[in-house]
Amino acid sequence: MVITKEHISDVVKSYDLENITIATICSHSSLQIFDGARKEGFKTLGICLREPPKYYDAFPLGKPDEFLVLNKYSELLDHIEELKAKNTIIIPHGSFVAYMGPEIFVEMDLPTFGNRLVLEWESIRKKERQWLVGAGIHMPDVIEDPHNIDGPVMIKYDGAHGGKGFFIAKTYEDFMEHIDTTKTYTIQRFIVGTRYYLHYFYSPIKDTGYTLSKGSLEMLSMDRRVESNADEIFRLGSPKELLEAGIIPTYVVTGNAPLVARESLLPLIFELGARVVEESIKLFGGMIGSFCLETVFTDDLEIKVFEISARIVAGTNLYVSGSPYSDLVEENLSTGRRIAREIKNAVKLNKLDEITS
Amino acid sequence: MVITKEHISDVVKSYDLENITIATICSHSSLQIFDGARKEGFKTLGICLREPPKYYDAFPLGKPDEFLVLNKYSELLDHIEELKAKNTIIIPHGSFVAYMGPEIFVEMDLPTFGNRLVLEWESIRKKERQWLVGAGIHMPDVIEDPHNIDGPVMIKYDGAHGGKGFFIAKTYEDFMEHIDTTKTYTIQRFIVGTRYYLHYFYSPIKDTGYTLSKGSLEMLSMDRRVESNADEIFRLGSPKELLEAGIIPTYVVTGNAPLVARESLLPLIFELGARVVEESIKLFGGMIGSFCLETVFTDDLEIKVFEISARIVAGTNLYVSGSPYSDLVEENLSTGRRIAREIKNAVKLNKLDEITS
Amino acid sequence: MVITKEHISDVVKSYDLENITIATICSHSSLQIFDGARKEGFKTLGICLREPPKYYDAFPLGKPDEFLVLNKYSELLDHIEELKAKNTIIIPHGSFVAYMGPEIFVEMDLPTFGNRLVLEWESIRKKERQWLVGAGIHMPDVIEDPHNIDGPVMIKYDGAHGGKGFFIAKTYEDFMEHIDTTKTYTIQRFIVGTRYYLHYFYSPIKDTGYTLSKGSLEMLSMDRRVESNADEIFRLGSPKELLEAGIIPTYVVTGNAPLVARESLLPLIFELGARVVEESIKLFGGMIGSFCLETVFTDDLEIKVFEISARIVAGTNLYVSGSPYSDLVEENLSTGRRIAREIKNAVKLNKLDEITS
């Protein structure tokens, strides 16, 4: 059974809005989500496997009030009524769907923050490209036929998490030497520049600020991903020297580092975010809440977008107590807290059904 | 007409000091300047072209109270009386002069924060060198004749903004291959080490703290510039490999990343700042307010200064709510706020003419 | 005379616990230590050579209440009674022993925060290895005979500070070309990945949170060291190209940059910290307070530990007002403040002898 927005709207209407519980899976950005939810006055629940992760004990402000302990994530479906009784809203973070599995996620008969329809648009590279290019965003060219590789390209496997297996090739021969043909992949032209991961927040129910055709856009922070081993492998040798030594650079995300962009790029940064939101409204009724554009800033000060993540990304974990951008919105505002605030505002405006699905 | 300090002093004396307006051009570090000014109780005014930039709507704390909308920046000169009536003090940030043009900046009959005379000393490389070397600062050697290039050098075009066009050469042949002979340039020996951009604040009217012959020096924060594409191009190949492939590293600033220096280097860091200020007092009556030394820390723990910026730099945008250094001065102190505080203190001490020109 | 824990216990019992003074040498992380101590209500004393460092004047919140001015650090031994009269507890930071000399440190008849026995376990590489490997930690392999070098290795000189003289070799020939045979050294297999310096805090007297067999473990922050010139030398050439040009990469720490790790790595991060503490309890009665694991995160998301520092490290200076991790423990908690808090808690619990030696 695929859960419809209309159905979730009915579930939400049955909720006791004075006693909402914010729940997510215990990983990724959960400390921040629970911290933010508590600061906004919500109860919190952590979904975990086997036993509550002990590391929460070291972070009292990020520890959920209670845990739902499962043996495998699909068992969540057995606890729907219990969670409804707690008036639970699920926050799907960047690893939520990966852990839960898309089938379970789609079937989950519980209100989730955001628009579940975004899932297929972000997870299938062709639909993602249709969305972003349709929004007038500059993406790196895709090379359909590897014979046409005529300069540096990045090969990305579909559904790969954390950059696992990605590689750079400069020629067809490079490509053939490293490709895993058992997987589906995309060949993107490699854009030379500096990477910025831009953390936006789109509210369909806020009508002040940087307003769009409907609702309002915020930019809460940005980060650069720390990638192992690509970030430090130059200490050993150039890519070519490494290749000769049989050492392959890899792009697995191990963490995140903070940065800010030139203020003169903010108009463009907001324009990109706004276009992506407007197009999402046209395509599937709108992406809601946190999203991240994964970009490269070139030396012409152009911004190329190589991917979108339509939910809270782990780079926001740098900013548990505010960022150089969110500090100009309101003090002490993390993305986790912003999400909780959105739910709080929706309750006040009686619009909870507009931000859940 | 060149505006004299004496004239500005008279303007300032005519001001209603209870109703000062802080103004700057809407870019660079303006969010921080307006946020800081408001926190210190000032009115704020943003100078912009065509229409108020929409991105301010997303940052309520960084949005100015009002805008002065121009078609081109030189039109500012038509609004002098209006701005005087608002008791306006202009904060020239790091892009202010670039946008306004040095001729207009010099002619502007409005009090500006800082000493306008610093402009020629920082923008003409030979005068900058005279100033810094005169202060006993270690700068990278300049190579007058490109035939004498005998190791890595950085070629910098005069007046280039954000590192546009800069390149590294190792031989005369390298140099000749890439030089744009239609521009004037400087050849600096390339210093191997790690870059630190040190954000100081010099107050001529504060007589406590790290005192100098006159006034007092603070170190509020530091950053490393994020340069496109130099920062990430190693992922593609070594400089030599790239050159063979026709790819040239570039040094365009796209943003800034935070860092701190070893505490054992603080005595040297303060000594460098102090020397530069003392020499500026001798040369042109003193640089006032924010300045930045652009440095390389070598593996001998020496600090080489390759440039000075005599006003607020964009790297301070990282620290809207304080930095690991300013937090030891006072909580929640950005450079933008420190500037506003300086104006407030000057008003109290009846010394506004000492910090404006 | 070697000072015993029992002796220090007697000294502590003679103290006026309402009037404790926190003291350290004026360098490394002293600003943060003094700031934290003052915030917890302690008096502070800075130990310095020749004259009080002037840079403290620029940081009023990090300036100690008074200074003990010496001509050389060994003179500290002449001031023991005076310091005892002030109820002084010494905080040995990461450079304390280097400045003071291990002989003086061991003889110092004053309570120091932490367990002095840790010194030999962290400073002698073989004992450090015994400790960490005994704890089940994955360390890079050590290659005893340089003839066996069969891939990238890092050569580290014993007792070298800040990475001075470290180098990477890939073959026996590389090794022979650069080795300084007048020094003792260790050859470690070079681990490709991204460096993380993990800042833990172990309290033997706290019985809540992430509890161990005794006491409780916290993770307060993490950083990446900024190393000159290794971090930026790729701008000039690949290691091989540089070597041919006679330029040797170096690994001298000039500062620190902030980052966070993937939340999904936190269970492993805590497990590593916990194992190291438990093993230290078995080996020498336990390491107390701040410690840092110097690690590499590989692209398999394994964490290799290449060194331990058993006291406050300079990377914590990034987080004078809190970190993305400590903000989830309590707002505004630096490592310096956490140390002062530990002393305060020990006083309340009448357990000061358990955290000093």
Side-chain angles (χ1 to χ4, degrees):
Chain A
M1 181 183 80
V2 171
I3 300 295
T4 61
K5 190 166 168 48
E6 291 64 36
H7 174 74
I8 293 299
S9 179
D10 289 341
V11 174
V12 159
K13 277 172 193 148
S14 73
Y15 270 14
D16 172 2
L17 300 181
E18 301 293 305
N19 283 296
I20 286 175
T21 298
I22 299 279
T24 195
I25 289 179
C26 291
S27 191
H28 189 272
S29 48
S30 72
L31 286 162
Q32 183 198 158
I33 290 170
F34 296 134
D35 175 62
R38 175 172 296 119
K39 283 176 179 157
E40 294 298 314
F42 292 108
K43 290 185 191 125
T44 52
L45 179 144
I47 302 160
C48 59
L49 294 190
R50 286 174 296 278
E51 55 181 350
K54 197 176 169 192
Y55 71 87
Y56 286 108
D57 293 339
F59 300 115
L61 303 181
K63 185 177 179 174
D65 296 323
E66 57 175 325
F67 290 95
L68 173 65
V69 179
L70 307 173
N71 289 303
K72 48 183 184 178
Y73 287 116
S74 59
E75 287 178 10
L76 185 73
L77 300 183
D78 307 332
H79 295 266
I80 298 298
E81 292 316 311
E82 181 188 333
L83 290 168
K84 280 185 183 167
K86 293 180 200 280
N87 312 294
T88 301
I89 296 174
I90 299 278
I91 314 295
H93 52 55
S95 294
F96 193 96
V97 178
Y99 286 135
M100 189 64 73
E103 309 76 15
I104 310 284
F105 179 69
V106 165
E107 281 182 43
M108 198 169 49
D109 180 12
L110 280 174
T112 62
F113 177 68
N115 182 349
R116 267 189 249 198
L117 295 180
V118 76
L119 183 59
E120 63 171 298
W121 290 90
E122 63 168 342
S123 59
I124 301 169
R125 279 194 205 285
K126 288 208 172 154
K127 295 202 91 166
E128 182 190 33
R129 195 169 185 88
Q130 178 191 339
W131 173 11
L132 295 179
V133 171
I137 300 292
H138 293 271
M139 293 188 78
D141 291 340
V142 163
I143 292 173
E144 298 292 344
D145 180 346
H147 288 93
N148 295 337
I149 296 173
D150 59 353
V153 295
M154 174 71 93
I155 290 86
K156 299 179 171 186
Y157 293 107
D158 285 334
H161 291 291
K164 189 85 189 162
F166 288 11
F167 67 98
I168 293 175
K170 290 182 202 162
T171 61
Y172 176 70
E173 288 68 34
D174 276 5
F175 171 83
M176 286 307 293
E177 196 170 333
H178 296 105
I179 190 68
D180 176 350
T181 52
T182 67
K183 295 177 186 160
T184 58
Y185 55 83
T186 304
I187 306 175
Q188 263 184 2
R189 195 170 292 285
F190 185 86
I191 303 295
V192 182
T194 43
R195 285 166 298 138
Y196 285 78
Y197 296 79
L198 309 172
H199 315 152
Y200 299 88
F201 191 92
Y202 168 61
S203 168
I205 62 170
K206 181 180 166 188
D207 53 13
T208 56
Y210 191 103
T211 52
L212 304 185
S213 66
K214 183 190 176 195
S216 172
L217 182 66
E218 297 168 10
M219 222 279 306
L220 295 179
S221 52
M222 46 185 78
D223 80 292
R224 179 163 58 208
R225 292 190 182 162
V226 179
E227 295 180 349
S228 182
N229 57 28
D231 276 359
E232 305 204 17
I233 201 168
F234 65 85
R235 291 184 168 207
L236 272 191
S238 73
K240 194 176 164 189
E241 290 164 21
L242 292 167
L243 200 65
E244 286 162 6
I247 301 171
I248 309 296
T250 50
Y251 302 89
V252 175
V253 181
T254 59
N256 307 84
L259 37 63
V260 296
R262 287 169 76 132
E263 189 172 317
S264 58
L265 291 171
L266 283 179
L268 178 54
I269 288 169
F270 273 92
E271 195 190 316
L272 295 176
R275 283 177 178 207
V276 169
V277 171
E278 297 288 10
E279 186 73 9
S280 78
I281 294 173
K282 280 188 223 158
L283 288 175
F284 53 89
M287 169 176 57
I288 292 159
S290 304
F291 68 98
C292 174
L293 293 182
E294 308 179 14
T295 74
V296 171
F297 289 13
T298 72
D299 56 7
D300 290 325
L301 297 176
E302 288 188 352
I303 300 179
K304 304 276 189 177
V305 177
F306 54 91
E307 222 158 301
I308 186 170
S309 178
R311 52 206 77 248
I312 180 172
V313 291
T316 63
N317 289 340
L318 287 159
Y319 306 111
V320 166
S321 299
S323 85
Y325 295 100
S326 68
D327 287 348
L328 295 166
V329 178
E330 176 185 318
E331 276 178 32
N332 212 6
L333 185 67
S334 70
T335 291
R337 187 169 189 177
R338 182 64 187 84
I339 291 170
R341 177 77 54 85
E342 186 74 357
I343 294 170
K344 202 168 163 181
N345 289 342
V347 167
K348 271 188 217 154
L349 298 167
N350 198 24
K351 291 185 170 179
L352 198 48
D353 59 328
E354 291 191 29
I355 62 164
T356 54
S357 70
Chain B
M1 182 185 79
V2 171
I3 300 296
T4 63
K5 190 167 167 50
E6 290 65 36
H7 174 74
I8 293 299
S9 180
D10 289 341
V11 174
V12 159
K13 276 171 194 146
S14 73
Y15 270 14
D16 171 3
L17 300 181
E18 300 293 305
N19 283 296
I20 287 176
T21 298
I22 300 279
T24 195
I25 289 179
C26 290
S27 191
H28 189 271
S29 48
S30 72
L31 286 161
Q32 184 198 157
I33 289 170
F34 296 135
D35 175 62
R38 174 172 296 119
K39 283 177 178 157
E40 294 299 313
F42 292 108
K43 291 186 191 125
T44 51
L45 180 144
I47 302 161
C48 60
L49 294 189
R50 287 172 296 276
E51 57 180 351
K54 197 177 169 191
Y55 71 86
Y56 285 108
D57 293 340
F59 301 116
L61 303 180
K63 185 177 179 175
D65 296 323
E66 57 175 324
F67 290 95
L68 174 64
V69 180
L70 307 172
N71 289 304
K72 48 183 183 177
Y73 287 116
S74 59
E75 287 179 9
L76 185 73
L77 299 183
D78 306 333
H79 296 265
I80 297 298
E81 292 315 312
E82 180 189 334
L83 292 169
K84 280 186 183 167
K86 293 181 199 281
N87 313 294
T88 302
I89 295 174
I90 299 278
I91 313 295
H93 53 53
S95 294
F96 193 96
V97 178
Y99 286 135
M100 188 65 71
E103 309 77 16
I104 310 284
F105 179 68
V106 165
E107 281 182 43
M108 198 169 49
D109 180 12
L110 280 174
T112 64
F113 177 67
N115 182 349
R116 267 188 249 200
L117 295 180
V118 76
L119 183 60
E120 63 171 297
W121 289 90
E122 63 167 342
S123 59
I124 302 170
R125 278 195 205 283
K126 288 207 173 154
K127 295 202 92 166
E128 182 191 36
R129 196 170 184 86
Q130 178 191 338
W131 173 13
L132 296 179
V133 172
I137 299 293
H138 292 272
M139 293 187 77
D141 291 341
V142 163
I143 292 174
E144 298 293 344
D145 180 347
H147 289 93
N148 294 336
I149 296 173
D150 61 351
V153 295
M154 173 70 94
I155 290 87
K156 298 179 171 186
Y157 293 107
D158 285 333
H161 290 292
K164 189 87 188 162
F166 289 11
F167 67 99
I168 292 175
K170 289 181 204 163
T171 61
Y172 176 70
E173 288 69 34
D174 276 5
F175 172 83
M176 286 307 293
E177 195 169 333
H178 297 105
I179 190 68
D180 177 350
T181 51
T182 65
K183 295 178 186 161
T184 59
Y185 55 83
T186 303
I187 307 175
Q188 265 184 3
R189 196 171 292 285
F190 185 86
I191 302 296
V192 182
T194 42
R195 285 166 298 138
Y196 285 79
Y197 296 79
L198 309 172
H199 315 151
Y200 298 89
F201 191 92
Y202 168 61
S203 167
I205 61 169
K206 181 180 165 188
D207 54 13
T208 58
Y210 192 103
T211 52
L212 303 185
S213 66
K214 184 190 176 194
S216 174
L217 183 66
E218 298 168 9
M219 223 279 308
L220 295 179
S221 52
M222 46 186 79
D223 80 292
R224 180 163 58 209
R225 292 190 182 161
V226 178
E227 295 180 349
S228 181
N229 57 29
D231 275 359
E232 305 203 18
I233 200 168
F234 65 86
R235 291 185 167 205
L236 272 190
S238 73
K240 195 174 162 190
E241 290 163 21
L242 292 168
L243 200 65
E244 287 162 5
I247 302 171
I248 309 297
T250 49
Y251 302 88
V252 175
V253 181
T254 59
N256 307 83
L259 38 63
V260 296
R262 287 169 77 132
E263 189 172 318
S264 59
L265 291 172
L266 283 179
L268 178 54
I269 287 169
F270 273 92
E271 196 191 315
L272 295 176
R275 284 177 176 207
V276 169
V277 171
E278 297 289 9
E279 186 74 9
S280 77
I281 294 173
K282 279 189 225 158
L283 288 175
F284 55 88
M287 167 177 58
I288 292 160
S290 304
F291 68 99
C292 174
L293 293 182
E294 308 180 12
T295 74
V296 170
F297 289 12
T298 72
D299 56 8
D300 290 325
L301 297 178
E302 287 187 353
I303 300 179
K304 304 275 188 177
V305 177
F306 54 90
E307 221 159 301
I308 187 170
S309 178
R311 53 206 77 247
I312 181 172
V313 291
T316 63
N317 289 340
L318 287 159
Y319 305 111
V320 166
S321 298
S323 86
Y325 295 100
S326 68
D327 287 348
L328 294 166
V329 178
E330 176 185 320
E331 277 177 32
N332 212 6
L333 185 66
S334 69
T335 291
R337 187 170 190 175
R338 182 63 187 84
I339 290 170
R341 177 77 55 82
E342 186 74 357
I343 293 170
K344 201 168 164 181
N345 289 342
V347 167
K348 271 189 216 153
L349 298 167
N350 197 25
K351 290 184 171 179
L352 198 48
D353 59 329
E354 292 191 29
I355 62 164
T356 54
S357 71
Chain C
M1 181 185 79
V2 171
I3 300 296
T4 62
K5 189 166 168 52
E6 290 64 37
H7 174 74
I8 293 299
S9 180
D10 289 341
V11 174
V12 158
K13 276 171 195 148
S14 73
Y15 270 14
D16 172 4
L17 300 181
E18 300 293 307
N19 283 296
I20 287 175
T21 299
I22 300 280
T24 195
I25 289 179
C26 290
S27 191
H28 189 272
S29 49
S30 72
L31 286 162
Q32 183 198 158
I33 290 170
F34 296 134
D35 175 62
R38 174 172 295 120
K39 283 177 178 158
E40 294 299 314
F42 292 108
K43 290 184 191 128
T44 52
L45 179 145
I47 303 160
C48 60
L49 294 189
R50 288 174 296 277
E51 55 180 352
K54 197 176 169 190
Y55 71 86
Y56 286 107
D57 294 339
F59 300 116
L61 302 181
K63 184 177 180 176
D65 296 323
E66 57 175 325
F67 290 95
L68 174 63
V69 179
L70 308 173
N71 290 304
K72 47 184 184 179
Y73 287 116
S74 59
E75 287 179 10
L76 184 73
L77 301 183
D78 307 333
H79 295 266
I80 299 298
E81 292 315 312
E82 180 189 334
L83 291 169
K84 279 185 183 166
K86 292 181 200 279
N87 312 294
T88 302
I89 296 174
I90 299 278
I91 313 297
H93 53 53
S95 294
F96 193 96
V97 178
Y99 286 135
M100 188 65 70
E103 309 78 15
I104 309 284
F105 180 67
V106 165
E107 280 182 44
M108 198 169 49
D109 181 12
L110 280 174
T112 62
F113 177 67
N115 182 349
R116 269 189 247 198
L117 296 179
V118 76
L119 183 60
E120 63 171 299
W121 289 91
E122 63 168 342
S123 60
I124 301 170
R125 279 195 206 284
K126 289 207 172 155
K127 296 201 91 166
E128 182 191 33
R129 196 169 184 87
Q130 179 192 338
W131 173 13
L132 295 178
V133 172
I137 300 292
H138 293 271
M139 294 187 77
D141 291 340
V142 163
I143 292 173
E144 298 294 343
D145 180 347
H147 288 93
N148 294 336
I149 296 173
D150 60 353
V153 295
M154 173 71 92
I155 290 88
K156 298 179 171 187
Y157 293 107
D158 285 334
H161 290 291
K164 189 85 189 165
F166 289 11
F167 67 99
I168 292 175
K170 289 180 202 162
T171 62
Y172 175 70
E173 288 68 34
D174 277 5
F175 171 82
M176 287 306 293
E177 195 169 333
H178 297 104
I179 190 68
D180 176 349
T181 52
T182 66
K183 295 179 186 160
T184 58
Y185 56 82
T186 303
I187 306 175
Q188 265 184 3
R189 196 171 291 285
F190 185 87
I191 303 296
V192 183
T194 42
R195 286 166 297 137
Y196 286 78
Y197 296 79
L198 308 171
H199 315 152
Y200 298 89
F201 191 92
Y202 168 60
S203 168
I205 61 169
K206 181 180 166 188
D207 53 12
T208 57
Y210 192 102
T211 52
L212 304 185
S213 66
K214 184 191 176 193
S216 174
L217 182 67
E218 299 168 9
M219 224 280 306
L220 295 179
S221 51
M222 46 185 79
D223 80 292
R224 179 164 57 208
R225 293 190 182 161
V226 179
E227 294 180 349
S228 181
N229 56 28
D231 275 0
E232 304 204 17
I233 200 168
F234 65 84
R235 290 185 168 207
L236 272 190
S238 74
K240 195 176 162 188
E241 290 164 21
L242 292 167
L243 200 64
E244 287 162 6
I247 301 171
I248 309 296
T250 49
Y251 302 88
V252 176
V253 181
T254 59
N256 308 84
L259 38 63
V260 296
R262 286 169 78 132
E263 190 172 316
S264 58
L265 291 172
L266 282 179
L268 178 53
I269 287 169
F270 273 92
E271 195 190 316
L272 295 177
R275 283 177 177 209
V276 169
V277 171
E278 297 288 10
E279 186 73 8
S280 78
I281 294 173
K282 280 188 223 159
L283 289 175
F284 53 89
M287 168 177 57
I288 292 159
S290 304
F291 68 98
C292 174
L293 293 182
E294 309 179 14
T295 74
V296 171
F297 289 13
T298 72
D299 56 7
D300 291 324
L301 296 178
E302 287 187 353
I303 299 179
K304 304 276 187 177
V305 178
F306 54 90
E307 221 158 302
I308 186 170
S309 178
R311 52 207 77 248
I312 180 172
V313 292
T316 62
N317 289 340
L318 287 158
Y319 305 111
V320 166
S321 299
S323 85
Y325 295 99
S326 68
D327 286 350
L328 295 166
V329 178
E330 176 185 320
E331 277 178 32
N332 212 6
L333 185 67
S334 70
T335 291
R337 187 170 191 176
R338 182 63 188 83
I339 291 170
R341 177 77 55 84
E342 186 74 356
I343 293 170
K344 201 168 164 181
N345 289 343
V347 167
K348 272 189 215 153
L349 297 167
N350 197 25
K351 289 185 172 180
L352 198 47
D353 60 328
E354 292 192 29
I355 61 163
T356 54
S357 69

